[in-house]
Amino acid sequence: MIIGIGSDHGGVNHKETITKHLVELGHQVIDYGTAPGEPADYPDIAEAVAKAYIKGEFERGILICGTGIGMSISANKVDGIRAAHVTDCYSARMSREHNNAQIICLGERITGPDLAISIVDAYLAAEHLGDRHARRVEKIMALEK
Ligand code: RB5
C-alpha cells in the first residue's frame, strides 16, 4: 500500500517510528515532513497531506502532532477529507469500517509508540463496510456543500 505520512515537531518521533514499521511491512511511505529538528505548524503539514490524498498520491494517510487534535481539525477543512482522531485500536478500525476515513490522526504526547503502531495496523487492516455506512458517509460529505 502507498501511505502518506506527516507530522509537526510534536509528532516527529512517532512519524519516524511508524515509517520504519510500515517500510518493514513492505509498504511504500511518502513523507510530507517535518524533518527531525525542524519545527512546523501543524495546519501546513495537514494541508499538504490532505491535498496530496485528494490528488491521488497515496491510498491512506497518517498525521501526527502533539495531541492529534490540530491535525484532525486542519485536515478536515480540506474538501473531501475525512480525518479521524484516534487513540485506540477499536476506533481506528471503526474509522475505516464505518466512516471510511482516508486519514487517521495520532497524538505523540497522548499515545505511546507501541500503541500508535497497533492503531496504525488496525486502521490499515480495516476496510469500509459500505451499505448503510456508505449512505451515512455520503451525508457527511453533503455537509460540505
Ligand atoms: C504543538 O506544540 C502542538 O500544539 C501540536 O503538536 C498539536 O498538539 C496541536 O494540536
Side-chain angles (χ1 to χ4, degrees):
M1 193 183 291
I2 304 175
I3 296 160
I5 195 166
S7 77
D8 70 358
H9 49 282
V12 76
N13 296 312
H14 272 19
K15 180 163 70 66
E16 301 287 299
T17 303
I18 292 166
T19 297
K20 183 170 176 289
H21 171 72
L22 294 174
V23 169
E24 281 170 4
L25 289 178
H27 295 294
Q28 181 186 339
V29 180
I30 304 175
D31 187 345
Y32 293 86
T34 190
E38 284 184 18
D41 292 339
Y42 57 82
D44 295 335
I45 303 292
E47 180 184 13
V49 169
K51 289 187 173 173
Y53 175 82
I54 296 296
K55 280 195 266 175
E57 293 179 15
F58 56 82
E59 296 158 72
R60 304 270 188 108
I62 301 166
L63 284 167
I64 313 143
C65 62
T67 59
I69 297 170
M71 285 297 193
S72 60
I73 292 172
S74 304
N76 280 309
K77 298 291 183 192
V78 175
D79 265 12
I81 289 295
R82 294 175 300 282
H85 178 220
V86 291
T87 57
D88 65 274
C89 294
Y90 178 78
S91 298
R93 178 162 66 87
M94 285 299 132
S95 77
R96 190 65 185 181
E97 290 189 355
H98 286 194
N99 315 116
N100 205 10
Q102 309 106 327
I103 294 174
I104 54 167
C105 304
L106 302 167
E108 182 174 310
R109 298 174 189 155
I110 307 299
T111 302
D114 289 354
L115 178 55
I117 283 173
S118 296
I119 287 170
V120 166
D121 287 347
Y123 170 65
L124 294 179
E127 290 298 339
H128 184 50
L129 296 177
D131 195 32
R132 66 186 183 280
H133 303 294
R135 183 184 70 240
R136 292 164 186 159
V137 169
E138 281 168 21
K139 288 188 177 186
I140 295 173
M141 303 324 287
L143 294 171
E144 283 182 349
K145 302 288 180 287

Coordinates of all heavy atoms in Angstrom, one line a residue, residues 37-111:
G37 N 14.0 18.0 14.2 CA 14.7 19.2 14.5 C 14.2 20.4 13.7 O 14.7 21.5 13.9
E38 N 13.2 20.2 12.9 CA 12.6 21.4 12.2 C 11.2 21.6 12.6 O 10.3 20.9 12.2 CB 12.6 21.0 10.6 CG 14.0 21.2 10.0 CD 13.9 20.9 8.5 OE1 12.8 21.0 7.9 OE2 15.0 20.6 8.0
P39 N 11.0 22.7 13.4 CA 9.6 23.0 13.8 C 8.7 23.3 12.6 O 9.2 23.8 11.6 CB 9.8 24.3 14.7 CG 11.2 24.2 15.1 CD 12.0 23.6 14.0
A40 N 7.4 22.9 12.8 CA 6.5 23.1 11.7 C 5.1 23.4 12.3 O 4.8 22.9 13.4 CB 6.4 21.9 10.8
D41 N 4.3 24.2 11.6 CA 2.9 24.4 12.0 C 2.0 23.3 11.5 O 2.0 23.0 10.3 CB 2.5 25.8 11.5 CG 3.2 26.9 12.2 OD1 3.8 26.7 13.3 OD2 3.2 28.0 11.6
Y42 N 1.3 22.7 12.4 CA 0.5 21.5 12.0 C -0.5 21.8 10.9 O -0.7 20.9 10.1 CB -0.2 20.9 13.3 CG -1.1 21.8 14.0 CD1 -2.4 22.0 13.6 CD2 -0.7 22.4 15.2 CE1 -3.2 22.8 14.4 CE2 -1.5 23.2 15.9 CZ -2.8 23.4 15.5 OH -3.6 24.2 16.2
P43 N -1.1 23.0 10.8 CA -2.0 23.2 9.6 C -1.3 23.0 8.3 O -1.9 22.6 7.3 CB -2.6 24.6 9.8 CG -2.4 24.9 11.3 CD -1.1 24.2 11.7
D44 N 0.0 23.4 8.2 CA 0.7 23.4 7.0 C 0.9 21.9 6.5 O 0.8 21.6 5.4 CB 2.0 24.1 7.1 CG 1.9 25.6 7.3 OD1 0.8 26.1 7.0 OD2 2.8 26.2 7.9
I45 N 1.3 21.1 7.5 CA 1.5 19.7 7.2 C 0.2 19.0 6.9 O 0.1 18.2 6.0 CB 2.2 19.0 8.4 CG1 3.5 19.7 8.7 CG2 2.5 17.5 8.1 CD1 4.6 19.6 7.7
A46 N -0.8 19.3 7.7 CA -2.1 18.7 7.4 C -2.6 19.0 6.0 O -3.2 18.1 5.3 CB -3.1 19.1 8.5
E47 N -2.5 20.3 5.7 CA -2.9 20.7 4.3 C -2.1 19.9 3.2 O -2.7 19.5 2.3 CB -2.7 22.2 4.1 CG -3.1 22.7 2.8 CD -2.8 24.2 2.6 OE1 -2.0 24.8 3.4 OE2 -3.3 24.7 1.6
A48 N -0.8 19.8 3.4 CA 0.0 19.1 2.4 C -0.5 17.7 2.2 O -0.6 17.2 1.1 CB 1.5 19.2 2.8
V49 N -0.7 17.0 3.3 CA -1.1 15.6 3.3 C -2.5 15.4 2.7 O -2.8 14.6 1.9 CB -0.9 14.9 4.7 CG1 -1.5 13.5 4.7 CG2 0.6 14.8 5.0
A50 N -3.4 16.2 3.2 CA -4.8 16.1 2.8 C -4.9 16.4 1.3 O -5.6 15.7 0.6 CB -5.7 17.1 3.6
K51 N -4.2 17.5 0.8 CA -4.3 17.8 -0.6 C -3.6 16.8 -1.5 O -4.1 16.5 -2.6 CB -3.8 19.2 -0.9 CG -4.7 20.3 -0.3 CD -4.3 21.7 -0.7 CE -5.4 22.7 -0.2 NZ -5.0 24.1 -0.4
A52 N -2.6 16.2 -1.0 CA -1.9 15.1 -1.7 C -2.8 13.9 -1.8 O -2.8 13.2 -2.9 CB -0.6 14.7 -1.0
Y53 N -3.6 13.6 -0.8 CA -4.5 12.5 -0.9 C -5.6 12.8 -2.0 O -5.8 11.9 -2.8 CB -5.3 12.3 0.5 CG -6.3 11.2 0.3 CD1 -6.0 9.8 0.3 CD2 -7.6 11.5 -0.1 CE1 -6.9 8.9 0.0 CE2 -8.6 10.6 -0.3 CZ -8.2 9.2 -0.3 OH -9.1 8.3 -0.6
I54 N -6.1 14.0 -2.0 CA -7.1 14.3 -3.0 C -6.5 14.2 -4.4 O -7.2 13.8 -5.3 CB -7.6 15.8 -2.7 CG1 -8.4 15.8 -1.4 CG2 -8.5 16.3 -3.9 CD1 -9.6 15.0 -1.3
K55 N -5.2 14.5 -4.5 CA -4.6 14.4 -5.8 C -4.3 12.9 -6.2 O -3.8 12.7 -7.3 CB -3.3 15.2 -5.8 CG -3.5 16.7 -6.0 CD -2.2 17.4 -6.4 CE -1.5 18.0 -5.2 NZ -0.2 18.6 -5.4
G56 N -4.5 12.0 -5.3 CA -4.3 10.6 -5.6 C -2.8 10.1 -5.4 O -2.4 9.1 -5.9
E57 N -2.1 10.8 -4.5 CA -0.7 10.5 -4.4 C -0.5 9.2 -3.5 O 0.6 8.6 -3.5 CB 0.1 11.7 -3.8 CG 0.2 12.8 -4.8 CD 1.0 14.0 -4.3 OE1 1.7 13.9 -3.2 OE2 0.9 15.1 -4.9
F58 N -1.5 8.9 -2.7 CA -1.4 7.7 -1.8 C -2.8 7.2 -1.4 O -3.8 7.9 -1.7 CB -0.5 8.0 -0.5 CG -1.1 9.2 0.3 CD1 -2.1 9.0 1.2 CD2 -0.5 10.5 0.1 CE1 -2.6 10.1 1.9 CE2 -1.0 11.5 0.9 CZ -2.1 11.4 1.7
E59 N -2.8 6.0 -0.8 CA -4.1 5.4 -0.5 C -4.6 5.7 0.9 O -5.8 5.8 1.1 CB -3.9 3.9 -0.7 CG -3.6 3.4 -2.1 CD -3.0 2.1 -2.1 OE1 -3.7 1.1 -1.9 OE2 -1.7 2.0 -2.4
R60 N -3.7 5.8 1.9 CA -4.1 6.1 3.2 C -3.1 7.1 3.8 O -1.9 7.0 3.5 CB -4.1 4.8 4.1 CG -5.0 3.7 3.6 CD -6.4 3.7 4.1 NE -7.0 2.4 3.8 CZ -7.3 1.5 4.6 NH1 -7.1 1.6 5.9 NH2 -7.9 0.3 4.2
G61 N -3.6 7.9 4.8 CA -2.8 8.9 5.3 C -2.7 8.8 6.9 O -3.7 8.4 7.5
I62 N -1.6 9.2 7.4 CA -1.3 9.3 8.8 C -0.8 10.7 9.2 O 0.2 11.1 8.6 CB -0.4 8.2 9.3 CG1 -0.9 6.8 8.9 CG2 -0.1 8.3 10.8 CD1 0.1 5.7 9.0
L63 N -1.4 11.4 10.1 CA -0.9 12.7 10.6 C -0.7 12.6 12.1 O -1.5 12.0 12.8 CB -2.0 13.7 10.3 CG -2.1 14.2 8.8 CD1 -3.4 15.0 8.6 CD2 -0.9 15.0 8.4
I64 N 0.4 13.2 12.5 CA 0.7 13.1 13.9 C 1.1 14.5 14.4 O 2.0 15.2 13.8 CB 1.9 12.2 14.2 CG1 1.7 10.8 13.5 CG2 2.1 11.9 15.7 CD1 2.9 10.2 12.9
C65 N 0.5 15.0 15.5 CA 1.0 16.2 16.2 C 1.1 15.8 17.7 O 1.2 14.6 18.0 CB 0.2 17.4 15.9 SG -1.6 17.3 16.4
G66 N 1.1 16.8 18.5 CA 1.2 16.5 20.0 C 0.0 15.8 20.5 O 0.2 14.8 21.2
T67 N -1.2 16.2 20.1 CA -2.4 15.6 20.6 C -3.2 14.9 19.5 O -4.0 14.0 19.8 CB -3.4 16.7 21.1 OG1 -3.6 17.6 20.0 CG2 -2.7 17.4 22.3
G68 N -2.9 15.2 18.2 CA -3.7 14.7 17.1 C -4.9 15.6 16.8 O -5.5 15.5 15.7
I69 N -5.1 16.5 17.7 CA -6.3 17.3 17.5 C -6.1 18.4 16.4 O -7.0 18.5 15.5 CB -6.7 18.0 18.8 CG1 -7.1 17.0 19.9 CG2 -7.9 19.0 18.6 CD1 -7.2 17.5 21.3
G70 N -5.0 19.1 16.5 CA -4.8 20.1 15.5 C -4.7 19.6 14.1 O -5.3 20.2 13.1
M71 N -4.1 18.4 13.9 CA -4.0 17.8 12.6 C -5.4 17.4 12.1 O -5.7 17.6 10.9 CB -3.2 16.5 12.7 CG -1.7 16.8 12.8 SD -1.1 17.7 11.3 CE 0.7 17.5 11.5
S72 N -6.3 16.8 13.0 CA -7.6 16.4 12.5 C -8.5 17.6 12.2 O -9.1 17.6 11.1 CB -8.3 15.5 13.5 OG -8.5 16.1 14.8
I73 N -8.4 18.6 13.0 CA -9.2 19.8 12.7 C -8.8 20.4 11.3 O -9.6 20.7 10.5 CB -9.1 20.9 13.8 CG1 -9.8 20.4 15.1 CG2 -9.7 22.2 13.4 CD1 -9.5 21.3 16.3
S74 N -7.5 20.5 11.1 CA -7.0 21.1 9.9 C -7.3 20.2 8.7 O -7.8 20.8 7.7 CB -5.5 21.3 10.0 OG -5.1 22.1 11.1
A75 N -7.0 19.0 8.7 CA -7.2 18.1 7.6 C -8.6 18.0 7.2 O -9.0 18.0 6.0 CB -6.7 16.7 7.9
N76 N -9.5 18.1 8.1 CA -11.0 18.0 7.8 C -11.5 19.3 7.2 O -12.6 19.3 6.7 CB -11.8 17.7 9.1 CG -11.7 16.2 9.4 OD1 -12.0 15.4 8.5 ND2 -11.4 15.9 10.6
K77 N -10.7 20.3 7.1 CA -11.1 21.6 6.4 C -10.9 21.4 4.9 O -11.4 22.2 4.1 CB -10.3 22.8 6.9 CG -10.5 23.1 8.4 CD -11.9 23.7 8.6 CE -12.0 24.1 10.1 NZ -13.4 24.3 10.4
V78 N -10.1 20.4 4.5 CA -9.9 20.2 3.1 C -11.0 19.4 2.5 O -11.4 18.3 3.0 CB -8.5 19.5 2.8 CG1 -8.3 19.1 1.4 CG2 -7.4 20.3 3.4
D79 N -11.7 19.9 1.4 CA -12.8 19.3 0.8 C -12.6 17.8 0.5 O -11.6 17.5 -0.2 CB -13.2 20.1 -0.5 CG -14.3 21.1 -0.2 OD1 -14.6 21.4 1.0 OD2 -14.9 21.6 -1.2
G80 N -13.5 17.0 0.9 CA -13.4 15.6 0.5 C -12.6 14.7 1.5 O -12.6 13.5 1.4
I81 N -12.1 15.3 2.5 CA -11.3 14.6 3.5 C -12.1 14.2 4.8 O -12.8 15.1 5.3 CB -10.0 15.4 3.9 CG1 -9.0 15.5 2.8 CG2 -9.4 14.8 5.2 CD1 -8.4 14.1 2.4
R82 N -11.9 13.0 5.2 CA -12.4 12.5 6.5 C -11.2 12.0 7.3 O -10.6 11.0 7.0 CB -13.4 11.4 6.3 CG -14.7 11.9 5.6 CD -15.7 10.7 5.4 NE -15.1 9.7 4.5 CZ -15.0 9.8 3.2 NH1 -15.4 10.8 2.6 NH2 -14.4 8.8 2.5
A83 N -10.8 12.9 8.2 CA -9.6 12.5 9.0 C -10.1 12.3 10.4 O -10.7 13.1 11.1 CB -8.6 13.7 9.0
A84 N -9.8 11.1 10.9 CA -10.3 10.6 12.2 C -9.1 10.7 13.3 O -8.1 10.2 13.1 CB -10.8 9.2 12.1
H85 N -9.5 11.4 14.4 CA -8.5 11.5 15.5 C -8.8 10.2 16.4 O -9.9 10.0 16.9 CB -8.8 12.7 16.3 CG -8.0 12.9 17.5 ND1 -8.5 13.4 18.7 CD2 -6.7 12.6 17.8 CE1 -7.5 13.4 19.6 NE2 -6.4 12.9 19.1
V86 N -7.8 9.4 16.5 CA -8.0 8.1 17.2 C -6.9 7.9 18.2 O -5.7 8.2 18.1 CB -8.0 6.9 16.2 CG1 -9.2 6.9 15.3 CG2 -6.7 6.9 15.3
T87 N -7.3 7.3 19.3 CA -6.4 7.0 20.4 C -6.5 5.5 20.9 O -5.9 5.1 21.9 CB -6.7 7.9 21.7 OG1 -8.1 7.7 22.0 CG2 -6.5 9.3 21.4
D88 N -7.3 4.7 20.1 CA -7.4 3.3 20.4 C -7.6 2.5 19.2 O -8.0 3.0 18.1 CB -8.5 3.0 21.4 CG -9.9 3.4 20.8 OD1 -10.3 4.6 20.9 OD2 -10.5 2.5 20.3
C89 N -7.4 1.2 19.2 CA -7.5 0.3 18.1 C -8.9 0.1 17.5 O -9.1 0.1 16.3 CB -6.8 -1.1 18.4 SG -5.1 -1.0 18.7
Y90 N -9.8 0.0 18.5 CA -11.2 -0.1 18.0 C -11.7 1.1 17.2 O -12.3 0.9 16.1 CB -12.1 -0.3 19.3 CG -13.6 -0.5 18.9 CD1 -14.1 -1.7 18.4 CD2 -14.4 0.6 19.1 CE1 -15.4 -1.8 18.1 CE2 -15.8 0.5 18.7 CZ -16.3 -0.7 18.2 OH -17.6 -0.8 17.9
S91 N -11.4 2.3 17.7 CA -11.8 3.5 17.0 C -11.1 3.5 15.6 O -11.7 4.0 14.6 CB -11.5 4.7 17.8 OG -12.2 4.7 19.0
A92 N -9.8 3.1 15.6 CA -9.1 3.1 14.3 C -9.8 2.2 13.3 O -9.9 2.6 12.2 CB -7.6 2.6 14.6
R93 N -10.2 1.0 13.7 CA -10.9 0.1 12.8 C -12.2 0.7 12.4 O -12.5 0.7 11.2 CB -11.1 -1.3 13.5 CG -11.8 -2.3 12.7 CD -11.6 -3.7 13.2 NE -12.2 -3.9 14.5 CZ -13.5 -4.3 14.7 NH1 -14.3 -4.4 13.7 NH2 -13.9 -4.5 15.9
M94 N -12.9 1.2 13.4 CA -14.3 1.8 13.0 C -14.1 3.0 12.1 O -15.0 3.3 11.3 CB -15.0 2.2 14.3 CG -15.5 1.0 15.1 SD -16.8 0.1 14.2 CE -16.2 -1.5 14.4
S95 N -13.0 3.7 12.3 CA -12.9 4.9 11.4 C -12.9 4.6 10.0 O -13.2 5.4 9.1 CB -11.6 5.7 11.8 OG -10.5 5.1 11.3
R96 N -12.4 3.3 9.7 CA -12.5 2.9 8.3 C -13.8 2.1 8.0 O -14.4 2.4 7.0 CB -11.3 1.9 8.1 CG -11.0 1.6 6.6 CD -10.7 2.8 5.8 NE -10.6 2.5 4.4 CZ -10.2 3.3 3.4 NH1 -10.0 4.6 3.7 NH2 -10.2 3.0 2.2
E97 N -14.1 1.2 8.8 CA -15.3 0.4 8.6 C -16.6 1.2 8.5 O -17.4 1.0 7.6 CB -15.5 -0.7 9.6 CG -14.4 -1.8 9.6 CD -14.7 -2.9 10.5 OE1 -15.6 -2.9 11.2 OE2 -13.9 -3.9 10.4
H98 N -16.8 2.2 9.3 CA -18.0 3.0 9.4 C -17.8 4.3 8.7 O -18.7 4.7 8.0 CB -18.5 3.2 10.8 CG -19.1 1.9 11.4 ND1 -19.8 2.0 12.6 CD2 -19.0 0.6 11.0 CE1 -20.2 0.7 12.9 NE2 -19.7 -0.1 12.0
N99 N -16.7 5.0 8.9 CA -16.6 6.4 8.5 C -15.8 6.5 7.2 O -15.7 7.6 6.6 CB -16.0 7.3 9.6 CG -16.6 7.0 10.9 OD1 -15.9 6.5 11.9 ND2 -17.8 7.3 11.1
N100 N -15.2 5.4 6.8 CA -14.3 5.5 5.6 C -13.3 6.6 5.6 O -13.1 7.3 4.6 CB -15.2 5.5 4.3 CG -14.4 5.0 3.1 OD1 -13.4 4.3 3.2 ND2 -15.0 5.2 1.9
A101 N -12.7 6.8 6.8 CA -11.7 7.8 6.9 C -10.4 7.5 6.1 O -9.9 6.4 6.1 CB -11.2 7.9 8.4
Q102 N -10.0 8.5 5.3 CA -8.8 8.3 4.5 C -7.5 8.6 5.2 O -6.4 8.2 4.8 CB -8.9 9.2 3.3 CG -10.2 9.2 2.5 CD -11.0 10.5 2.8 OE1 -10.9 11.0 3.9 NE2 -11.7 11.0 1.8
I103 N -7.7 9.3 6.4 CA -6.5 9.7 7.2 C -6.9 9.4 8.7 O -8.0 9.7 9.1 CB -6.3 11.2 7.0 CG1 -5.8 11.5 5.5 CG2 -5.2 11.7 8.0 CD1 -5.7 12.9 5.2
I104 N -5.9 9.0 9.4 CA -6.0 9.0 10.9 C -5.0 9.9 11.5 O -3.9 10.1 10.9 CB -5.9 7.6 11.5 CG1 -4.6 6.9 11.2 CG2 -7.1 6.7 11.3 CD1 -4.2 5.7 12.0
C105 N -5.4 10.5 12.6 CA -4.5 11.5 13.3 C -4.2 11.0 14.7 O -5.1 10.6 15.4 CB -5.3 12.8 13.4 SG -5.8 13.5 11.8
L106 N -2.9 11.0 15.0 CA -2.5 10.5 16.3 C -1.8 11.6 17.1 O -1.2 12.6 16.5 CB -1.4 9.4 16.1 CG -1.9 8.2 15.3 CD1 -0.7 7.3 14.8 CD2 -2.9 7.3 16.1
G107 N -1.7 11.4 18.4 CA -1.0 12.4 19.3 C 0.2 11.7 20.0 O 0.0 10.8 20.8
E108 N 1.3 12.2 19.7 CA 2.5 11.6 20.2 C 2.6 11.8 21.8 O 3.2 11.0 22.5 CB 3.8 12.2 19.6 CG 5.1 11.6 20.1 CD 6.3 12.1 19.3 OE1 6.3 12.0 18.1 OE2 7.3 12.5 20.0
R109 N 2.0 12.9 22.2 CA 2.0 13.2 23.7 C 0.9 12.5 24.4 O 0.8 12.5 25.6 CB 1.9 14.7 23.9 CG 3.1 15.5 23.3 CD 2.9 17.0 23.4 NE 3.9 17.7 22.6 CZ 3.8 18.9 22.1 NH1 2.7 19.6 22.4 NH2 4.8 19.5 21.4
I110 N 0.1 11.8 23.7 CA -1.1 11.1 24.2 C -0.9 9.6 24.2 O -1.2 8.9 25.1 CB -2.4 11.5 23.4 CG1 -2.6 13.0 23.4 CG2 -3.6 10.8 24.0 CD1 -2.7 13.7 24.7
T111 N -0.4 9.1 23.0 CA -0.4 7.7 22.7 C 1.1 7.3 22.6 O 1.8 7.8 21.8 CB -1.1 7.5 21.4 OG1 -2.5 8.0 21.5 CG2 -1.2 6.0 21.0

